[in-house]
């Protein structure tokens, strides 16, 4: 965004808040600018060569009225206070992952929640975690937000983390390199394809690579377990996770077994009973 456009928008927003006393919202701002366009241009001395008011209103129209994204600003009641007392908040972005505009707006809303709960209250440690980050980090607007939190979060008595299936899902660039530089702890799950890309991207030592290659996973024996590595700086620890069969079923998230469990859950409405019934067939 150029300085001219930014200055023009700042003047419009400042005037809106001065003239409209209450019930502020994006649709209200749009309507205010539309109804007072000519007066605003003269009063704020906005020259068309610097800021095209008609084009601005046209681009913004998809967020109001019958526009494509009007549903994002349709609520009249301010419900932001509902997050104040929450200890755990999940933002689900999957349905917007192929729409950069909707995704950017949702990410902005999530970032505002983080700043409200973490930035404004440093007395309570906070954690931000981006699950399946590869779906979203391909968009620069999202990547900029994620990188910002990686660089600034420690000053807020908080932590940030993300999950990736492979280092290849992290775009090459100075911004993502900054993420790696600010990553203090790395969890590496067992991977039968090897760990060479991870070793190269995170600049791991030969010793750390050898430890990674020693990891194993058994899912068909009497004792099912999986091993993973915990890396902190130059240190590395191989760890083993072994869970009861009932717990493994509880964490099924895909495949035929998951479908069977969910069908039973629809029948019983109780996950403990569902797992017990499913165990009878295995």
């Amino acid at each position: 965004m150029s300085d001219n456009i930014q200055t023009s928008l700042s003047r419009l927003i400042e005037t809106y808040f001065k003239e409209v006393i209450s019930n502020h919202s994006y649709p209200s701002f749009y309507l205010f600018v539309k109804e007072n366009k000519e007066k605003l241009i003269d009063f704020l001395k906005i020259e068309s060569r610097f800021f095209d008011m008609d084009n601005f209103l046209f681009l913004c129209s998809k967020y109001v009225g019958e526009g494509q994204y009007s549903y994002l600003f349709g609520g009249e009641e301010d419900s932001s206070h509902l997050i104040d007392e929450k200890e755990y908040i999940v933002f689900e972005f999957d349905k917007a992952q192929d729409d950069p505009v909707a995704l950017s707006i949702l990410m902005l809303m999530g970032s505002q929640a983080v700043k409200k709960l973490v930035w404004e209250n440093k007395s309570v440690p906070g954690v931000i975690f981006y699950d399946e980050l590869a779906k979203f980090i391909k968009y620069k607007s999202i990547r900029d937000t994620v990188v910002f939190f990686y660089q600034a979060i420690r000053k807020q008595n908080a932590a940030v983390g993300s999950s990736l299936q492979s280092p290849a899902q992290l775009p090459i660039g100075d911004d993502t390199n900054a993420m790696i530089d600010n990553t203090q702890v790395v969890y590496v799950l067992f991977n039968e394809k090897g760990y060479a890309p991870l070793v190269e991207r995170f600049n791991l030592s030969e010793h750390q690579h050898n430890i990674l290659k020693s990891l194993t996973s058994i899912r068909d024996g009497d004792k099912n377990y999986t091993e993973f590595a915990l890396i902190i700086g130059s240190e590395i620890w191989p760890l083993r996770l072994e869970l009861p069969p009932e717990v493994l079923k509880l964490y099924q998230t895909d495949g035929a077994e998951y479908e069977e469990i969910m069908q039973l859950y629809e029948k019983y409405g109780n996950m403990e009973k569902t797992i017990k019934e499913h165990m009878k067939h295995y």
Side-chain angles (χ1 to χ4, degrees):
M1 182 185 298
S2 70
D3 290 341
N4 291 327
I5 294 177
Q6 188 170 357
T7 300
S8 300
L9 284 175
S10 296
R11 290 180 180 179
L12 288 173
I13 294 172
E14 289 172 1
T15 305
Y16 165 71
F17 279 102
K18 288 179 181 178
E19 297 296 325
V20 180
I21 306 302
S22 60
N23 298 321
H24 299 121
S25 67
Y26 184 84
S28 170
F29 170 68
Y30 175 85
L31 187 62
F32 170 77
V33 174
K34 184 178 181 180
E35 291 180 346
N36 299 280
K37 182 182 69 171
E38 298 302 330
K39 293 180 181 178
L40 289 169
I41 290 175
D42 293 336
F43 177 70
L44 300 177
K45 296 180 171 53
I46 297 176
E47 297 185 35
S48 59
R49 62 193 177 112
F50 295 140
F51 186 79
D52 189 330
M53 187 75 81
D54 289 328
N55 186 54
F56 168 73
L57 290 171
F58 175 72
L59 292 174
C60 292
S61 64
K62 60 184 176 182
Y63 300 102
V64 298
E66 300 298 323
Q68 180 183 0
Y69 298 105
S70 60
Y71 65 93
L72 293 172
F73 303 95
E76 296 183 359
E77 182 181 356
D78 182 7
S79 57
S80 60
H81 64 282
L82 297 177
I83 69 172
D84 291 347
E85 303 301 324
K86 301 294 184 181
E87 295 184 359
Y88 185 77
I89 302 173
V90 176
F91 291 90
E92 179 61 69
F93 295 160
D94 273 0
K95 292 184 179 180
Q97 63 178 303
D98 296 321
D99 189 329
V101 174
L103 187 58
S104 296
I105 293 172
L106 291 172
M107 192 67 171
L108 177 61
M109 293 169 63
S111 299
Q112 290 300 316
V114 168
K115 290 178 180 178
K116 181 177 179 63
L117 297 175
V118 178
W119 254 245
E120 296 179 8
N121 184 11
K122 298 181 183 180
S123 63
V124 179
V127 177
I128 308 168
F129 191 80
Y130 298 99
D131 191 24
E132 299 290 346
L133 182 61
K135 295 179 180 178
F136 315 112
I137 202 169
K138 58 187 176 182
Y139 301 114
K140 188 178 185 305
S141 59
I142 306 300
R143 190 161 64 250
D144 288 345
T145 301
V146 174
V147 171
F148 167 75
F149 283 133
Y150 263 82
Q151 293 177 316
I153 198 68
R154 281 183 293 173
K155 297 178 181 178
Q156 311 303 322
N157 188 29
V160 59
S162 56
S163 65
L164 294 166
Q165 294 181 359
S166 164
Q169 294 179 327
L170 202 59
I172 301 292
D174 292 339
D175 47 6
T176 50
N177 287 340
M179 286 178 58
I180 294 175
D181 291 340
N182 284 280
T183 298
Q184 305 298 313
V185 181
V186 181
Y187 296 89
V188 185
L189 303 182
F190 168 77
N191 188 345
E192 59 186 13
K193 295 181 179 180
Y195 308 92
L198 178 72
V199 171
E200 180 180 357
R201 194 74 190 275
F202 283 78
N203 195 29
L204 302 182
S205 67
E206 182 178 358
H207 167 68
Q208 290 172 321
H209 192 187
N210 288 333
I211 294 294
L212 291 175
K213 288 189 289 186
S214 74
L215 299 178
T216 60
S217 179
I218 295 179
R219 294 295 303 274
D220 298 320
D222 294 333
K223 298 183 68 175
N224 296 325
Y225 66 84
T226 186
E227 293 182 340
F228 64 97
L230 173 62
I231 302 175
I232 304 178
S234 61
E235 302 294 329
I236 181 170
W237 295 269
L239 303 169
R240 177 175 294 186
L241 179 63
E242 184 176 336
L243 297 173
E246 293 85 355
V247 177
L248 289 174
K249 289 186 180 295
L250 184 63
Y251 283 95
Q252 285 289 329
T253 58
D254 53 25
E257 192 170 349
Y258 167 78
E259 296 296 335
E260 293 171 1
I261 291 173
M262 295 311 297
Q263 288 176 9
L264 286 173
Y265 180 73
E266 289 289 330
K267 178 180 179 181
Y268 296 115
N270 181 288
M271 185 54 73
E272 182 178 355
K273 186 174 182 179
T274 295
I275 297 299
K276 289 180 178 178
E277 286 295 320
H278 196 266
M279 290 293 296
K280 293 178 180 179
H281 304 287
Y282 287 86

